[in-house]
Amino acid sequence: MFNLRMSAERLKRITDAVREHGRSSVAELAQLTGASEMTIRRDLEVLAEQGVLERYRGGARSLLLRGEEPPFALRAQEGLEVKRRIAAEVAALVADGESVVLDGGTTCLEVARLLVHRRLTVMPLSLHAANALADAAQLTLLLPGGQPRRGELALTGPLTEASLAALRFDTAILGCCGLTATDGLTAYDLADAAVKRAAMASSRRVIAVAEAAKLSRTALAHVAPASALHAVVTDQAAPADATDALSAAGLTVRMA
């Protein structure tokens, strides 16, 4: 577990460095991370397969713009312990018998893994979460239509939105790319933002999940004002000014 965590942290540092500078050499990344050049070359191959960067002899160049979301496979390994704490807090807010629409994203995937043995009706909005819930014995699984985004496997488009419009849920659990009291809930992808809005419109209660860093971030696509949410579950590293502002906007802020 320790080695996996160290590897994930190293991959993130490499990604951030290459993204920030546009390109970096193997030697520069080895010096940055304290890893051997052989290890860095292996890491670059992994990141190239994920579409994060492009290899060239002696280094790599970024394929990500600063305003873009990193690939799912990379995000899934980042801050896993925090995401699991947030997921546990969210799962505790859901009562048996509820109907739930569950967003895509890595934190919502951790929520799905905790709901699998619950007596619920759940519509997951990603194939990752649907797969996690597929063998649930007590849970009623509803699958929307839609087109999965490559890598993310989040379902988007008119079929997804129509599936949501046809139903009414007790709770929507939404991931986000950014959440602030000023700019509200935001996403990197326009189609994803449309699906989130449709999920909100079909739900009596909306809970957002957001690691601390997202509470000071605004992404491209506006989803909804903060006041349209009922609660946000974040972690202990969340800045007090951000959580205070969200509380003032009417949200219940829970720390995991």
Side-chain angles (χ1 to χ4, degrees), residues 208-226:
V209 298
E211 302 98 298
K214 294 182 178 180
L215 300 188
S216 57
R217 184 183 302 164
T218 298
L220 172 68
H222 182 257
V223 177

Side-chain angles (χ1 to χ4, degrees), residues 170-251:
D170 293 308
T171 301
I173 300 170
L174 299 184
C176 63
C177 303
L179 175 60
T180 68
T182 302
D183 295 316
L185 183 71
T186 54
Y188 286 111
D189 185 83
L190 296 175
D192 180 44
V195 169
K196 292 182 193 300
R197 284 193 291 271
M200 293 179 68
S202 294
S203 301
R204 179 178 56 83
R205 177 178 63 155
V206 180
I207 301 172
V209 298
E211 302 98 298
K214 294 182 178 180
L215 300 188
S216 57
R217 184 183 302 164
T218 298
L220 172 68
H222 182 257
V223 177
S227 58
L229 309 176
H230 297 89
V232 57
V233 181
T234 187
D235 62 86
Q236 298 291 338
D241 58 343
T243 57
D244 289 347
L246 290 171
S247 295
L251 279 73

Side-chain angles (χ1 to χ4, degrees), residues 12 27 30-33 47 49-50 70 80 90 107-108 118 126 139 144 150 153 157 161 186 192 194 210 212 217 225:
K12 184 177 187 306
Q31 183 176 9
L32 173 69
T33 61
L47 294 171
E49 290 175 2
Q50 294 175 358
L80 194 54
V90 171
T107 306
C108 286
R118 299 282 300 278
S126 86
L139 183 141
R150 183 174 299 177
L153 298 186
E161 293 170 41
T186 54
D192 180 44
R217 184 183 302 164

Side-chain angles (χ1 to χ4, degrees), residues 52-138:
V52 175
L53 49 79
E54 180 183 26
R55 288 294 316 276
Y56 62 82
R57 186 175 178 84
R61 63 177 61 87
S62 180
L63 295 178
L64 297 175
L65 300 176
R66 293 187 186 182
E68 289 182 331
E69 185 174 33
F72 185 96
L74 181 63
R75 299 190 336 265
Q77 300 303 318
E78 295 178 358
L80 194 54
E81 293 177 9
V82 169
K83 291 174 183 177
R84 286 173 175 167
R85 291 202 307 270
I86 291 173
E89 188 71 25
V90 171
L93 295 175
V94 177
D96 283 350
E98 282 197 43
S99 56
V100 178
V101 56
L102 180 62
D103 202 2
T106 56
T107 306
C108 286
L109 177 56
E110 296 303 321
V111 176
R113 288 169 173 155
L114 293 180
L115 297 183
V116 69
H117 299 300
R118 299 282 300 278
R119 186 173 57 81
L120 300 165
T121 297
V122 180
M123 178 182 278
L125 298 178
S126 86
L127 298 185
H128 289 299
N131 185 59
L133 295 167
D135 294 327
Q138 298 185 80

